[in-house]
Amino acid sequence: MLMRGGLGVMESVPDVELKADMFDEEAICHRMVLVCGTSTCHMVVSKNKLFIPGVWGPFLSAMIPEFWLTECGQSATGALLDYIVQNHAAAPLLVNQAASQSMSIYELMNKILLSMAHEQNMPFLSALSQDTHVLPDFHGNRSPVADPKSKGVICGLTLDTSEKHLALLYLATIQGIAYGTRHIVEHCNAHAHKIDTLLACGGLSKNSLYIQEHADITGCPIILPRENENVLLGAAILGAVAAKKFAGVHGAMKALNAAGKVVRPSSDPRVKKYHDAKYQIFRSLYEQQLSHRSTMAQALH
């Protein structure tokens, strides 16, 4: 299913995004697809066989014929956001408020965060989370450290049980997930990939805050496809090729994929500086966990 999602989105690039001096085969290798749902699958292709520690693959022709597929992932993304929200004392109240306004609880929290940023005179919305840091490994780390023993961490908790606190924790969790994607992109690029553009599909891609935070944190533009059901489109592409409507899979993708909205990283240098700092804290949370694990193992030896 995830492969079909990749087929349905990877060529969803606006014409203005195409680089005139870049061959098609090279251009597609600069893109990473995020299939964002309960968990997130990160897929990138290359013409060369690239082995990357902590990452699945490469698999030849697993998605696009004659391209090597590298597959990364985060074990809990949408599931983690649901867990964080549903286990907070303010959740029932926000669920009722959201229902009365005919919106989801996530849309309501996005509105609350905008209001909080205005009330607190924050330079930008992301700065609300300056004292809250989340390592999102609540179901282990699939990529890039491939550590099933890794645990989730929330740093900065207080006795606050208000709706605003839940919204803040939700924001910090989104950011933690996005720092995980940044870690994956950097790790892949350090091993010969050239990722500079993300394409997102799945339920979480419909959350504007989730996508904007990912763009700001990774520094990559994020392209949202015009088609909402990308897995179905991917299946249709395979069917069209099987029915001889197209000569090959890649040609069918180029004909049937279409770009929708493009979300670009903030141009405010303060946003980049802020996320660079938080990203270093994010990375340190895992290193501290390894140290704690070693300390306790020695104590029990």
Side-chain angles (χ1 to χ4, degrees):
M1 184 178 73
L2 295 173
M3 304 303 178
R4 295 199 299 273
L7 292 175
V9 68
M10 189 161 264
E11 281 289 359
S12 300
V13 182
D15 291 340
V16 294
E17 296 292 319
L18 297 176
K19 299 176 182 177
D21 61 345
M22 188 182 292
F23 294 112
D24 284 349
E25 287 191 350
E26 183 182 352
I28 198 171
C29 298
H30 285 247
R31 306 170 197 152
M32 173 175 272
V33 173
L34 277 60
V35 183
C36 317
T38 302
S39 59
T40 294
C41 182
H42 304 65
M43 294 180 287
V44 59
V45 297
S46 61
K47 289 300 291 183
N48 299 316
K49 180 167 40 174
L50 303 176
F51 289 97
I52 305 175
V55 172
W56 295 345
F59 309 108
L60 181 61
S61 300
M63 183 165 67
I64 305 173
E66 300 182 11
F67 283 85
W68 292 91
L69 172 66
T70 295
E71 188 177 351
C72 316
Q74 291 169 291
S75 300
T77 49
L80 175 57
L81 289 171
D82 287 346
Y83 172 83
I84 292 295
V85 171
Q86 293 168 7
N87 284 279
H88 195 282
L93 180 60
L94 281 185
V95 167
N96 290 334
Q97 289 181 11
S100 69
Q101 298 178 45
S102 300
M103 63 175 62
S104 72
I105 189 172
Y106 299 103
E107 291 173 308
L108 178 57
M109 287 190 292
N110 289 353
K111 288 181 60 178
I112 291 172
L113 289 167
L114 284 171
S115 177
M116 290 172 63
H118 177 73
E119 291 171 0
Q120 298 178 33
N121 198 30
M122 288 290 174
F124 44 87
L125 185 146
S126 300
L128 287 166
S129 67
Q130 60 190 285
D131 295 323
T132 308
H133 309 281
V134 174
L135 182 69
D137 295 352
F138 285 60
H139 198 49
N141 184 289
R142 185 185 302 169
S143 305
V145 298
D147 182 358
K149 295 182 179 180
S150 184
K151 302 295 189 292
V153 176
I154 301 175
C155 177
L157 290 175
T158 70
L159 294 177
D160 192 349
T161 59
S162 68
E163 305 97 297
K164 289 183 178 179
H165 178 263
L166 174 52
L168 177 61
L169 191 55
Y170 156 73
L171 171 62
T173 304
I174 287 177
Q175 290 172 342
I177 293 169
Y179 295 132
T181 290
R182 174 171 168 174
H183 193 190
I184 288 170
V185 171
E186 289 184 353
H187 186 67
C188 287
N189 285 346
H191 290 82
H193 277 290
K194 302 174 182 178
I195 302 159
D196 58 22
T197 301
L198 304 180
L199 299 100
C201 64
L204 288 176
S205 69
K206 298 174 176 62
N207 185 327
S208 59
L209 177 63
Y210 187 91
I211 294 299
Q212 187 62 63
E213 289 298 299
H214 274 69
D216 292 344
I217 286 167
T218 62
C220 297
I222 301 180
I223 302 171
L224 302 176
R226 187 185 304 169
E227 172 57 55
N228 287 327
E229 299 296 340
N230 301 98
V231 173
L232 296 181
L233 177 58
I237 287 169
L238 293 175
V241 174
K244 309 298 184 184
K245 298 296 184 182
F246 295 94
V249 171
H250 198 185
M253 290 169 62
K254 294 175 69 174
L256 298 177
N257 285 190
K261 183 178 180 181
V262 179
V263 179
R264 301 189 182 280
S266 172
S267 58
D268 187 340
R270 296 175 299 175
V271 174
K272 182 180 185 306
K273 182 180 180 181
Y274 176 81
H275 284 304
D276 285 348
K278 282 206 76 175
Y279 179 61
Q280 294 305 313
I281 294 173
F282 164 85
R283 295 289 299 271
S284 74
L285 291 176
Y286 179 69
E287 296 303 322
Q288 291 169 20
Q289 182 176 154
L290 290 180
S291 176
H292 299 163
R293 193 187 301 174
S294 175
T295 298
M296 296 313 299
Q298 291 176 25
L300 291 170
H301 183 65

